[in-house]
Amino acid sequence: MNVYDSARMSDVLRPLGYQPVDTPDAADMIILNTCHIRDRAAEKVFSELGRLRKIKEARETAGQPTIIAVAGCVAQAEGQEILARAPYVDIVLGPQTYHRLPEMVARAARAGGAVIETDFPAEQKFDFLPDTAAPQTPGNLTAFLTIQEGCDKFCSFCVVPYTRGAEVSRSVISVLAEARRMVESGVQDISLLGQNVNAYHGTGPDGEVWDLARLAYALAAIPGLNRIRYATSHPRDMDDALIAAHRDLPELMPYLHLPVQSGSDKILRAMNRGHTADDYREIVRKLHAARPDLALSSDFIVGHPGETDEDFEATMQLVRDVTFAQAYSFKYSQRPGTPAAGAPLQVPEDVKDARLQALQALLREQQDAFNQSLVGQTVPVLFTSEGRKPGQISGRSPWLQPVHVTGSPDLIGREVPVRITERLTNSLNGILEEEKVYA
Ligand code: 5AD
Ligand code: SF4
């Protein structure tokens, strides 16, 4: 979502004469777009700011005024602290205020003092951001599209409801219009984004509230939009209509990021996730019944307060039962202001380390096994770029693995059957089945 937001910030600044440059040394304005989800993300902001300060000082000594802005969720959560620790920062803006950036730039330039905008404004930013004329990078075949933001679920460990605010869905018309613009500019593979994307409930052109399933059917009807993905989903909102859409729509990619966090019912309850481990197993069963080639990815947290060896073993068991094509796993990190941060029974760091290592080893095995299972199969690959080696082109499989083949750059932008020949650590090698084109 930050990648998408950064693109929208570029969009609002373009009319002011700004355009992206390759290095911060060449920039009149530097925007650091930040993440607050775990400790290390926030720490990185302060070390990065130290580096940017030197650039700003060097440029200003040479008579080139330089604005430093901090955007994103660290700005939202720690705006005052940023200004106290890094007084050379000119603008601090939370993720709901990007549409006000031009006005903030003008204020910062005029006043010379720091500008801070971290209130949740009454207007919704999407209603005020200009239409994206082009996707993130012109010529891109894949793009992100935010359809929903914020979260009302309040998981015990998570800062998102505090930094991104309450759940808001964009209207169906504005989502479809943006998707059409993307497709017209050449995009074929769109990832719909939202912190709780499958809780989408946007106003439709008929005045009714549309859910994600209904939106997916409408998106799939756009000619040229061949691949639709969405992230991140919550198991609680994985309803039957959405599962049926996976059965009905070949455009919905058979790859779903569905975070489960833990396999222990006790910990799931403590996390306020609102479902059990067996509920999750049942959702996965239904998804596979609807779309047999669907593969799953997930997020896990080890060491949530109260997690015992037995709870952790329940997570390992869930992983063995479900099997994941890919996953992200994290040590629990105390986020200020969240309920779990002050909970008793915090898990010692060395225990978290050991659990993370064991979980990651299992997940790695499963990822390798999934990739290996594709060797010998023919899969549709959307070619997106020239490869690293001369004569090679690269693309993505329906399951998001990068696939490399020897082939003509003329195939970039086309979806072509590829026979997978080899599994590498995080990608696949293949050969062109024939020069027949899928789409
Ligand atoms: N500690 C560790 N991991 C976290 N996540 C969210 N908050 C925390 C935290 N406090 C993880 C969850 C979520 C992903 C985006 O980040 O697994 O799904
Ligand atoms: Fe955070 Fe996701 Fe839980 Fe919302 S549903 S509080 S974004 S982990």
Side-chain angles (χ1 to χ4, degrees), residues 151-155 157-161 195-196 234 261 273:
C151 180
D152 297 332
K153 294 227 166 40
F154 292 92
C155 298
F157 50 84
C158 184
V159 284
V160 166
Q195 270 83 33
N196 249 284
H234 195 295
Q261 316 295 355
R273 293 288 291 177

Side-chain angles (χ1 to χ4, degrees), residues 302-372:
V302 299
H304 184 275
E307 186 187 76
T308 62
D309 285 342
E310 209 185 342
D311 295 317
F312 175 65
E313 178 46 36
T315 299
M316 295 290 276
Q317 191 56 46
L318 180 89
V319 174
R320 286 184 212 108
D321 293 345
V322 173
T323 70
F324 294 92
Q326 200 265 341
Y328 302 97
S329 44
F330 314 101
K331 287 192 284 182
Y332 168 72
S333 148
Q334 279 173 294
R335 307 315 292 130
T338 58
L345 303 175
Q346 297 286 334
V347 176
E349 217 42 41
D350 56 334
V351 175
K352 287 188 207 168
D353 283 329
R355 288 181 189 163
L356 188 67
Q357 228 179 39
L359 177 60
Q360 289 188 337
L362 177 60
L363 290 167
R364 181 78 238 176
E365 247 174 58
Q366 294 193 344
Q367 182 173 349
D368 290 348
F370 177 72
N371 288 343
Q372 189 65 40

Side-chain angles (χ1 to χ4, degrees), residues 164-202:
R164 288 267 173 184
E167 225 177 282
V168 183
S169 293
R170 288 174 73 179
S171 73
V172 171
I173 286 186
S174 93
V175 171
L176 293 179
E178 186 164 357
R180 279 196 203 96
R181 277 195 298 274
M182 286 176 165
V183 171
E184 274 159 24
S185 78
V187 170
Q188 296 182 36
D189 180 329
I190 292 185
S191 296
L192 307 174
L193 300 182
Q195 270 83 33
N196 249 284
V197 75
N198 59 339
Y200 177 81
H201 53 107

Side-chain angles (χ1 to χ4, degrees), residues 371 374-377 379 381 388-389 392-394 401-406 418-432:
N371 288 343
L374 292 176
V375 173
Q377 289 200 43
V379 305
V381 173
R388 255 168 285 158
K389 293 191 197 145
Q392 269 197 343
I393 49 175
S394 302
Q401 297 110 328
V403 181
H404 313 289
V405 306
T406 301
V418 169
R419 174 174 285 272
I420 303 301
T421 52
E422 192 184 2
R423 165 179 74 82
L424 309 173
T425 315
N426 292 306
S427 63
L428 301 168
N429 281 340
I431 48 173
L432 294 171

